[in-house]
Amino acid sequence: MDLAPDELIRSLREALGLSPDNVPLRRQLAVVLMSRGELDDADGVLREGLTHTPQSEQLRLGLAECFRRRGRTSEALVIVEDLAARRDAPAPTLRLLAELLEAGGETRRAAAVYRRAIDADPDLADPALAERLGVDGAARQADSDDGTDTDADGRVRLRADAASGTGPVEMQKPGVTFADVGGMDSLKEQIRLKIIAPFERPELFAAYGRSAGGGILMYGPPGCGKTHLARATAGQIDAGFINVGIHDVLDMYMGEGEKKLHRLFEHARAHKPCVLFFDEADALGMKRSGTRPGAWSRVVNQFLAELDGVERRNDGLLVLAATNEPWSVDPAFRRPGRFDRVVFVPPPDAAGAAAILRLQLRGKPQEAIDADAVARRCDGFSGADLKAVVDHAVDAKLRSALDDGVPAPLTTADLLQAVKQVRPSIREWFATARNHARYANEGGQYDDLLAYLGRR
């Protein structure tokens, strides 16, 4: 005969009193308490157990579940992400991580983690969660006329037979907008005027014979958010986003690089509005004087032809490129109709650094952090350096949490201590860029950089 809930809890407590180190017994008591909504009692049972066995995955996972039910998502995420980082992470851990990621708005990552959980244990399948994440378990094929497939994640990939030897190239719908970009206010305003406005009010631009689209080359020191800004631009106008690296184009066989590049542009044109983003533009668009005739120069020529829209119009197609070495890019790329807008992406100022820190801290357990005070100690830090500051602070907290099983909130003191462990990574870039800006500023392309250096 089954025990009544009160009797069951009483029996479990009595048994636990005789065997306080019995992890399964303690976990079962916590589960029963949570099912009755007695979350404070469940929390106490689990924390007491962690004082006896601080490394117990069952108890830590139970505490994370208790945090989730109490609405303390960020604290639950700290525990579960650490547990899920292991290669043999149990399926229930992955399932809980997927739920927490979904709650935090990271739908794409949540879908991938959910699939891992269900592959490991099909009994954990949740049709409602799967529907919210867009996981239908079946790959969908589309766009067969342009050599692409669309998988269950909604990602568009070039088929291997469409571009010989190419790896997967994904079209994404970024979930970030300008609200997720810390600082860069002047840059975002430039992009709003030059890029977003033509997409949002095409009739006004059409009246003057202008269409939405074009090219912008962003340059600046590494780690200052050029790629993140490109993604946010696509998210701001709800456009598709294709991130192209040199490995997506480079090919050992003659003529294949040009074919791959052409197919990328064709696919982007077929799915407008679309942002086609070229990282490492100095490699893809290097000066032809520095290449052997007929080799990489043919890829550069193909790139220029695609930008000109020789075969098809590029209206509705925005081509963004980023480079750390604008002086290595072929000057032909900066002619009107190509990358005729060149934008300097500087390191964040104090206000921008504080905004980046707040974004990096979002979703993490914290208490009254003075981001402005920390930012004032981070002069000359790139966005990547600021992320490293937060990562160092989190790592220190995780080391403590792994000992006692309870995540303590981050504080201003933690971040200030982490600042001492990070050194600015962009000083060498400015030393090189200063010479190019002073002595090779043809057409004023480095005016923004010189103005920035003049304020330092």
Side-chain angles (χ1 to χ4, degrees):
M1 182 176 179
D2 293 336
L3 293 175
D6 289 339
E7 294 177 356
L8 175 60
I9 291 175
R10 188 181 306 110
S11 298
L12 289 171
R13 286 190 183 278
E14 290 175 357
L16 199 57
L18 298 173
S19 180
D21 294 338
N22 190 319
V23 170
L25 191 63
R26 188 174 292 276
R27 175 65 191 273
Q28 181 61 32
L29 174 57
V31 168
V32 174
L33 290 170
M34 282 190 279
S35 70
R36 288 167 55 90
E38 299 177 24
L39 300 179
D40 288 340
D41 287 346
D43 185 291
V45 167
L46 292 164
R47 288 178 185 272
E48 182 184 353
L50 286 167
T51 63
H52 297 286
T53 52
Q55 299 303 320
S56 169
E57 293 188 12
Q58 289 189 51
L59 295 181
R60 292 171 65 197
L61 186 62
L63 186 61
E65 173 61 26
C66 193
F67 281 152
R68 184 185 72 84
R69 295 192 184 204
R70 300 175 76 178
R72 295 161 61 178
T73 305
S74 61
E75 293 168 87
L77 195 57
V78 170
I79 297 174
V80 178
E81 283 197 315
D82 178 59
L83 293 174
R86 304 176 186 182
R87 185 172 298 178
D88 58 346
T93 301
L94 297 173
R95 160 69 187 277
L96 180 56
L97 177 58
E99 294 177 358
L100 293 170
L101 291 171
E102 186 215 5
E106 297 185 58
T107 307
R108 184 176 295 277
R109 186 179 166 206
V113 174
Y114 175 78
R115 284 194 182 86
R116 285 179 58 198
I118 302 310
D119 287 344
D121 185 355
D123 291 338
L124 292 176
D126 181 345
L129 176 61
E131 182 177 357
R132 293 197 304 273
L133 297 178
V135 177
D136 57 16
R140 300 184 302 273
Q141 184 173 356
D143 306 317
S144 58
D145 58 326
D146 68 350
T148 64
D149 293 328
T150 305
D151 65 15
D153 288 335
R155 295 177 297 199
V156 181
R157 303 174 181 272
L158 290 176
R159 290 201 303 270
D161 58 350
S164 176
T166 187
V169 177
E170 299 179 358
M171 173 178 281
Q172 307 164 358
K173 277 292 185 120
V176 295
T177 64
F178 284 171
D180 302 294
V181 178
M184 299 191 188
D185 292 337
S186 62
L187 287 177
K188 288 187 279 191
E189 186 58 29
Q190 287 186 58
I191 291 175
R192 282 192 181 96
L193 292 174
K194 296 177 181 179
I195 299 174
I196 295 175
F199 276 96
E200 293 180 337
R201 301 296 301 277
E203 71 283 356
L204 293 180
F205 286 79
Y208 292 93
R210 300 286 296 275
S211 59
I216 290 183
L217 175 64
M218 299 181 289
Y219 76 94
C224 286
K226 295 183 287 293
T227 301
H228 188 48
L229 184 60
R231 289 183 184 277
T233 300
Q236 195 74 17
I237 57 177
D238 194 28
F241 181 80
I242 301 177
N243 190 349
V244 185
I246 188 171
H247 60 278
D248 296 313
V249 177
L250 187 64
D251 199 287
M252 64 181 291
Y253 296 106
M254 184 175 297
E256 288 300 324
E258 298 96 287
K259 290 180 182 178
K260 290 181 179 181
L261 195 57
H262 175 66
R263 189 166 295 280
L264 281 166
F265 271 88
E266 285 293 277
H267 181 70
R269 293 179 184 119
H271 295 82
K272 295 185 289 190
C274 182
V275 173
L276 193 55
F277 176 64
F278 289 89
D279 207 352
E280 302 171 313
D282 48 290
L284 289 169
M286 69 175 65
K287 291 181 179 179
R288 285 166 290 182
S289 58
T291 63
R292 292 180 299 172
W296 193 249
S297 61
R298 282 199 300 271
V299 174
V300 177
N301 289 336
Q302 182 68 39
F303 202 168
L304 294 171
E306 299 295 344
L307 289 172
D308 290 335
V310 173
E311 297 182 7
R312 292 178 62 179
R313 290 172 56 85
N314 286 339
D315 57 298
L317 173 62
L318 176 62
V319 185
L320 295 179
T323 178
N324 300 330
E325 300 182 8
W327 43 84
S328 299
V329 177
D330 195 298
F333 280 90
R334 295 192 296 272
R335 291 177 186 167
R338 296 170 182 171
F339 293 117
D340 49 358
R341 286 160 285 185
V342 180
V343 178
F344 172 54
V345 182
D349 56 15
I356 291 172
L357 287 170
R358 292 188 186 100
L359 285 170
Q360 290 294 331
L361 289 165
R362 189 168 59 186
K364 296 177 174 63
Q366 56 188 282
E367 59 177 35
I369 288 179
D370 188 348
D372 294 305
V374 179
R376 287 193 291 271
R377 300 281 295 275
C378 297
D379 182 49
F381 280 39
S382 68
D385 295 333
L386 293 168
K387 182 179 184 302
V389 168
V390 176
D391 288 344
H392 276 287
V394 169
D395 287 345
K397 286 296 185 184
L398 279 174
R399 283 193 290 271
S400 298
L402 289 173
D403 290 335
D404 57 26
V406 181
L410 291 163
T411 65
T412 302
D414 294 325
L415 291 174
L416 290 174
Q417 181 62 34
V419 169
K420 300 176 183 179
Q421 303 176 49
V422 179
R423 297 191 180 280
S425 61
I426 56 178
R427 291 172 179 168
E428 184 177 347
W429 184 90
F430 275 107
T432 301
R434 183 178 285 106
N435 291 329
H436 287 281
R438 287 177 176 173
Y439 305 114
N441 191 27
E442 299 93 346
Q445 63 175 315
Y446 300 131
D447 285 351
D448 289 344
L449 173 57
L450 287 172
Y452 176 83
L453 291 171
R455 295 192 296 269
R456 301 294 292 173

